[in-house]
Amino acid sequence: MIYKGSCHCGRTAFEVEGELTQVMDCNCSICVRKGALLWFVPRDKLRLVTPDENLATYTFNTHTIKHRFCPTCGIHPFGEGTDPQGNRMAAINVRCLEGVKLTSLPVKHFDGRSR
């Protein structure tokens, strides 16, 4: 299935393809502040509809994850990084997707604070 998503103001829009069967709630220092529910997909399943220049990037600690956000409205629609095997991945903030019923998705809790 293809899902459409965007930031709040619409300056950043994207499509992501995959089966959304569960989301992750991470308690690391940034995720807990953003309140994002994350869905991980291969990076090539995420397609920007608007120019990459419309996004800003934040990194911290080891600088391995690119937290992408809209500099106009401040919403974080996704992040980019690699999985332990070195595959490029995207962490989609499902709260930015259209038509997703969040209460129907199982939530996996991840203890990112301990890492």
Side-chain angles (χ1 to χ4, degrees), residues 37-56:
L37 291 174
L38 302 172
W39 171 37
F40 291 86
V41 299
R43 178 57 183 89
D44 64 356
K45 298 297 181 183
L46 170 66
R47 184 179 74 79
L48 286 175
V49 177
T50 52
D52 187 62
E53 296 79 33
N54 287 9
L55 283 162

Side-chain angles (χ1 to χ4, degrees), residues 5-23:
S6 69
C7 63
H8 187 256
C9 71
R11 187 170 179 208
T12 298
F14 61 95
E15 293 180 343
V16 59
E17 183 178 355
E19 292 302 315
L20 179 53
T21 58
Q22 118 177 337
V23 294

Side-chain angles (χ1 to χ4, degrees):
M1 181 169 194
I2 296 177
Y3 296 88
K4 294 180 184 296
S6 69
C7 63
H8 187 256
C9 71
R11 187 170 179 208
T12 298
F14 61 95
E15 293 180 343
V16 59
E17 183 178 355
E19 292 302 315
L20 179 53
T21 58
Q22 118 177 337
V23 294
M24 185 184 80
D25 181 19
C26 177
N27 68 356
C28 77
S29 62
I30 193 166
C31 287
V32 77
R33 285 168 174 82
K34 287 192 293 188
L37 291 174
L38 302 172
W39 171 37
F40 291 86
V41 299
R43 178 57 183 89
D44 64 356
K45 298 297 181 183
L46 170 66
R47 184 179 74 79
L48 286 175
V49 177
T50 52
D52 187 62
E53 296 79 33
N54 287 9
L55 283 162
T57 302
Y58 175 69
T59 62
F60 67 100
N61 195 11
T62 62
H63 302 278
T64 55
I65 299 172
K66 295 178 183 176
H67 299 271
R68 307 300 305 271
F69 67 96
C70 174
T72 301
C73 68
I75 298 298
H76 290 245
F78 63 91
E80 298 174 283
T82 55
D83 68 11
Q85 294 75 38
N87 301 306
R88 292 181 62 225
M89 300 295 292
I92 309 301
N93 180 355
V94 297
R95 294 183 186 276
C96 293
L97 298 177
E98 297 173 9
V100 173
K101 186 176 179 184
L102 296 175
T103 57
S104 69
L105 294 169
V107 178
K108 177 183 177 184
H109 297 277
F110 180 75
D111 186 11
R113 184 177 294 148
S114 297
R115 294 190 174 246

